[in-house]
Amino acid sequence: MRHLLGLQDLSPQEIEGILRTAAAIKAGDLNVSGSLRGRIVVTLFFEPSTRTRTSFELAARRMDAQVVHFDVGTSSVVKGESLLDTIYTLEAMGVDLLVVRHQASGAAHFISRHTGCAVVNAGDGMHEHPTQGLLDLFTIQEHKGCIEGLRVAIVGDILHSRVARSDLFGLTKLGAEVTLCGPSTLLPRDRSGEGSLPLHGVRITDSLDEALEGADVVIALRLQRERQQSGLIPSLAEYTRFWGIDASRLSRCKPDVLVMHPGPMNLGVEILPSAAYGPWSVIREQVTNGVYVRMAVLYHLLAKGGENQPQGITEAHGGATDRSLLPVGRR
Amino acid sequence: MRHLLGLQDLSPQEIEGILRTAAAIKAGDLNVSGSLRGRIVVTLFFEPSTRTRTSFELAARRMDAQVVHFDVGTSSVVKGESLLDTIYTLEAMGVDLLVVRHQASGAAHFISRHTGCAVVNAGDGMHEHPTQGLLDLFTIQEHKGCIEGLRVAIVGDILHSRVARSDLFGLTKLGAEVTLCGPSTLLPRDRSGEGSLPLHGVRITDSLDEALEGADVVIALRLQRERQQSGLIPSLAEYTRFWGIDASRLSRCKPDVLVMHPGPMNLGVEILPSAAYGPWSVIREQVTNGVYVRMAVLYHLLAKGGENQPQGITEAHGGATDRSLLPVGRR
Amino acid sequence: MRHLLGLQDLSPQEIEGILRTAAAIKAGDLNVSGSLRGRIVVTLFFEPSTRTRTSFELAARRMDAQVVHFDVGTSSVVKGESLLDTIYTLEAMGVDLLVVRHQASGAAHFISRHTGCAVVNAGDGMHEHPTQGLLDLFTIQEHKGCIEGLRVAIVGDILHSRVARSDLFGLTKLGAEVTLCGPSTLLPRDRSGEGSLPLHGVRITDSLDEALEGADVVIALRLQRERQQSGLIPSLAEYTRFWGIDASRLSRCKPDVLVMHPGPMNLGVEILPSAAYGPWSVIREQVTNGVYVRMAVLYHLLAKGGENQPQGITEAHGGATDRSLLPVGRR
């Protein structure tokens, strides 16, 4: 594993390997402090997200990496530098790993194909947010022991959510029975047209009661308020009435149901305080586990087995070092 | 002491304890390097202040803490996340101490009641700025030996100044004779109405000459230029003529008077270069001492006696861990 | 050497000393890790530049310095604090070295005269950018062995470029034959009027072909797009047609010519992909070498020989400590 770009790309064994490492770190059985000493991790966020960035930063620092925030807003990017030239520059400065968030689906894949740095996707457009998927799996596994056979309802704006996509890939790979629920305008409509979404065996419904019936886990998604302006939902109040998760709706679930949310919450919209702060909620545990899961990812990419040794500052790919591209007379 | 929210809350003995620790650190008698290793300090500034934030950052780093700036401007706060959810998130990520600046009086107290993290108030509205108060006490004590019986004039916008309030609490607790001076529109008018301000025995005057007469210490406060727009002062020039501190006005003070200012100065408004850079000025020493005093505060809150051990990443309060709140059938 | 303000101030021996140190660090012959432990480096950028700031940050951190970004945008500077009071404050907080970028030519010199901190100029107006000059020299030396006698063409907006000035000082001090090339509106017109520019023996031409003839090195400068608005160039397309560097123009150079650019590039304006990514390009090596050269500079200023010992937090110059300035009666 050289990069973490999406859960779609990982085998069940690879996912379980990361979850096992995270569990060992959390339990204190695997001491990773110092394991990234001398390594440089850059957070490169084209969309602002203090929460995710801070989680990665804390994870990397607990392993003694140097963490540098690349401030896109004051960078050459605003002077018209291309994304690739920014990446080449960071690589040439000796960076080991890039944590990338970008508004364009596929940005992390694109970057990973053009750099020798390890790349972790911290959210790319409507595509994937794999560490969120992993921390959701970790939190479920911690409470339920095993993911196979669990009934998981994902509720909200499935269509535009990278969290939903990463959760769906992870959950189905580990054998959960997933129900996707939300207004029909925010659901994948045509199974064949959804490309890579693993919808085989997945139930899709606009009825929340149906989705919650017997659920072991409910994952509420953040509703982007822009969805109202673009006419995809009639109003926030309407949305809440039909798809807002509160304590009373949860009575249809299993008694030990887990309520999850990737945060930040729109309290009173997709989730109500009775559910968010109720006894079923593991929302704050998700945040805690996020740090452990990100430590595990960094460990797998930069430290484990030592196959990915510190490179120091190395010349970037291409450029003058690759003189073999020169016409013979110029070598 | 679990938090530092204001000097109003501290006993004279607690204040003197922090000052003694700061003196021991500055003198090299107490070696605190390494004492915060593995601890995470987050600076959470809802009002920008590079000066204060940098002072806290340097203090924490000299003790080998990890310091993370939580960038409110790019955080979920702007996506509508509540202050409490932000705090819960940071706590869930394993943060040990929050340094908080907020425009609302009482914000630090509010936060401290909802988190297991230690909280240091770095300025809340017009309420308190306790580390500024402590560094002022420290600087006076360093020069004068003892604060009891000293005549201290605080000059400027008393009414809106959290620095004035923290200074007033600290100075009166340690036995100084305080005079508050400024335009009557910027002075506490009704002693009974001032609530918690300890005005017993405090002289209040709009005459600068009267305030400076025989003073051992003069503290000039920064004048917010907005006070002019809101009609509280006629003009900056007028303000300077009556309440600006310069060398000639200082002739009424004791010969070894100390001139202090919390910074940043409006040079030529509340203080003139002849006073700010004159031989009486200890303004730069205040900045230096600010780092030592903040180290002492962090030491008392996180390191001293070891009663406040590193928590690692712990589950936040409430949430699913507190299953005792569940109806019996759901535990 | 207490500061690095410009290459104009350095002797050829001093320049070669820094280059030798950088080479020793890059080769692994000089281990500088840990050599700045306990030192505080502040990056103080009045003009944003993530690229240069990150390079300095990585250099300082590889030597275990603490690096603090002073965020000018949220600092007292925007509250009207003077540049000098900001500097005094940082010095009083115990900062060892300031890396300064400022839009005003001479800003770094000005600051250096008023502080006990070491100062590194990271670009001041249209004056100098000495670490860029040093990394260019280093990169050339690494490929060509020796700079003396090399033919170097600097192409673009010579008149407004601090990179061109630092390169010109460095290259002529080390014995290169320099040609300056660009539109006549962007060239130094009157040799006597150019003040300190070392134009003796330097060829100046508006013909790119003439400049490239037999060149060992071509340095393309970034074209500020504002030059078009101010009428100094007719259009970007026109500029590119006459002075844009591409593979075909390079045929006039020596076969082993080096193509350099300080970045960020305006691809398609002053340089075309065929040259920027071609086999002659050492642009990414420049970025890599920038980190080593900045490590060498920090080493010379803060670590080498130990003559510049850590100061801890010291009282800033002036202020109340210098009581000898007092009239006798007040001492």
Side-chain angles (χ1 to χ4, degrees), chain B residues 81-121:
Chain B
E81 191 182 53
S82 75
L83 175 57
L84 273 190
D85 279 327
T86 301
I87 299 299
Y88 293 151
T89 299
L90 289 169
E91 181 175 354
M93 284 181 186
V95 168
D96 294 288
L97 186 141
L98 300 168
V99 178
V100 180
R101 171 165 289 193
H102 199 283
Q103 59 282 5
S105 302
H109 280 84
F110 174 76
I111 289 170
S112 73
R113 282 194 298 274
H114 291 89
T115 178
C117 304
V119 176
V120 175
N121 181 3

Side-chain angles (χ1 to χ4, degrees), chain B residues 21-33:
Chain B
T21 301
I25 296 171
K26 185 169 182 180
D29 296 336
L30 177 61
N31 179 6
V32 294
S33 80

Side-chain angles (χ1 to χ4, degrees), chain A residues 73-123:
Chain A
T74 64
S75 76
S76 308
V77 173
V78 298
K79 299 183 195 163
E81 191 182 54
S82 75
L83 176 57
L84 272 192
D85 278 327
T86 301
I87 300 299
Y88 293 151
T89 298
L90 289 169
E91 181 176 356
M93 284 181 187
V95 168
D96 295 288
L97 185 142
L98 299 168
V99 179
V100 180
R101 171 164 289 193
H102 199 284
Q103 60 280 8
S105 302
H109 280 84
F110 174 76
I111 289 171
S112 73
R113 282 194 298 273
H114 290 89
T115 178
C117 304
V119 176
V120 175
N121 182 3

Side-chain angles (χ1 to χ4, degrees), chain B residues 138-159:
Chain B
F138 183 89
T139 304
I140 296 170
Q141 208 173 53
E142 211 177 25
H143 279 270
K144 303 296 187 188
C146 176
I147 283 168
E148 191 164 1
L150 290 180
R151 303 185 69 161
V152 181
I154 307 180
V155 181
D157 180 3
I158 310 293
L159 206 55

Side-chain angles (χ1 to χ4, degrees), chain B residues 27 101 113 271 277 287 306 317 325 327:
Chain B
R101 171 165 289 193
R113 282 194 298 274
I271 192 166
Y277 302 127
V287 176
H317 296 181
L325 292 170

